[in-house]
């Protein structure tokens, strides 16, 4: 999956040693914000010291994050894990997720919430008609 936006936060790196293999590991979390009327944010993780250095993600950069989503269970609770496998710089809002293509149809640009423009002549409510004399309102409030 792809998500394009601006890096707004870089969280501290985590590291440790695997209890199974004895190898050291490192991961770092980043927050990306997708622009729009209602901006959306997502935290994603880059795993591995070599990838953290390779991607060299900086705050304020416009990037497209290619990532995988997985969930794991820990002590009866489930947690999502969003891991980035590639970072593309300078391609904001150009991604086309595979889920938006329909068999036999051309892919469309990814716009989950396209802006809605009201019709120029459409009023938000129908015009209020004057009440006839002696008429009672049937609303309970």
């Amino acid at each position: 999956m792809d998500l394009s936006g601006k890096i707004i936060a870089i969280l501290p790196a985590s590291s440790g040693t695997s209890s199974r293999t004895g190898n050291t590991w490192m991961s770092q979390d980043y927050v990306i914000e997708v622009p729009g009327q209602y901006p959306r944010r997502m935290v994603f993780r880059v795993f591995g010291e070599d990838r953290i250095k390779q991607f060299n993600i900086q705050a304020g950069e416009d990037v497209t994050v290619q990532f995988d989503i997985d969930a794991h269970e820990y002590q009866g609770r489930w947690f999502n894990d969003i891991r980035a496998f590639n970072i593309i710089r300078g391609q904001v809002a150009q991604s086309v997720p595979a889920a938006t293509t329909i068999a036999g149809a051309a892919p469309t640009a990814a716009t989950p919430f396209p802006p809605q423009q009201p019709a120029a002549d459409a009023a938000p409510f129908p015009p209020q008609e004057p009440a006839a004399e002696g008429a009672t309102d049937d609303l309970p409030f």
Side-chain angles (χ1 to χ4, degrees), residues 20-123:
R20 281 189 309 163
T21 64
N23 296 334
T24 59
W25 57 268
M26 178 182 254
S27 71
Q28 190 160 15
D29 292 341
Y30 303 86
V31 180
I32 187 170
E33 182 176 73
V34 179
Q37 182 178 1
Y38 303 106
R40 295 175 292 149
R41 296 180 183 109
M42 178 183 79
V43 175
F44 66 93
R45 175 170 293 147
V46 175
F47 190 83
E49 185 175 6
D50 56 336
R51 285 187 181 239
I52 293 170
K53 289 179 180 178
Q54 174 191 357
F55 295 153
N56 191 26
I57 300 170
Q58 302 296 315
E61 275 190 301
D62 289 327
V63 297
T64 297
V65 179
Q66 296 177 330
F67 60 93
D68 289 323
I69 300 175
D70 193 20
H72 63 276
E73 184 265 337
Y74 178 71
Q75 296 183 349
R77 296 188 62 193
W78 284 89
F79 300 90
N80 287 322
D81 187 24
I82 301 173
R83 284 195 184 179
F85 61 84
N86 194 18
I87 302 294
I88 302 169
R89 287 179 165 71
Q91 289 190 356
V92 175
Q94 299 297 323
S95 64
V96 178
T100 61
T101 59
I102 300 171
T108 59
T111 309
F113 303 106
Q116 299 291 325
Q117 295 293 332
D121 60 343

Side-chain angles (χ1 to χ4, degrees), residues 116-138:
Q116 299 291 325
Q117 295 293 332
D121 60 343
F125 298 102
Q128 184 176 5
E129 296 181 19
E133 263 187 58
T136 60
D137 191 357
D138 61 348

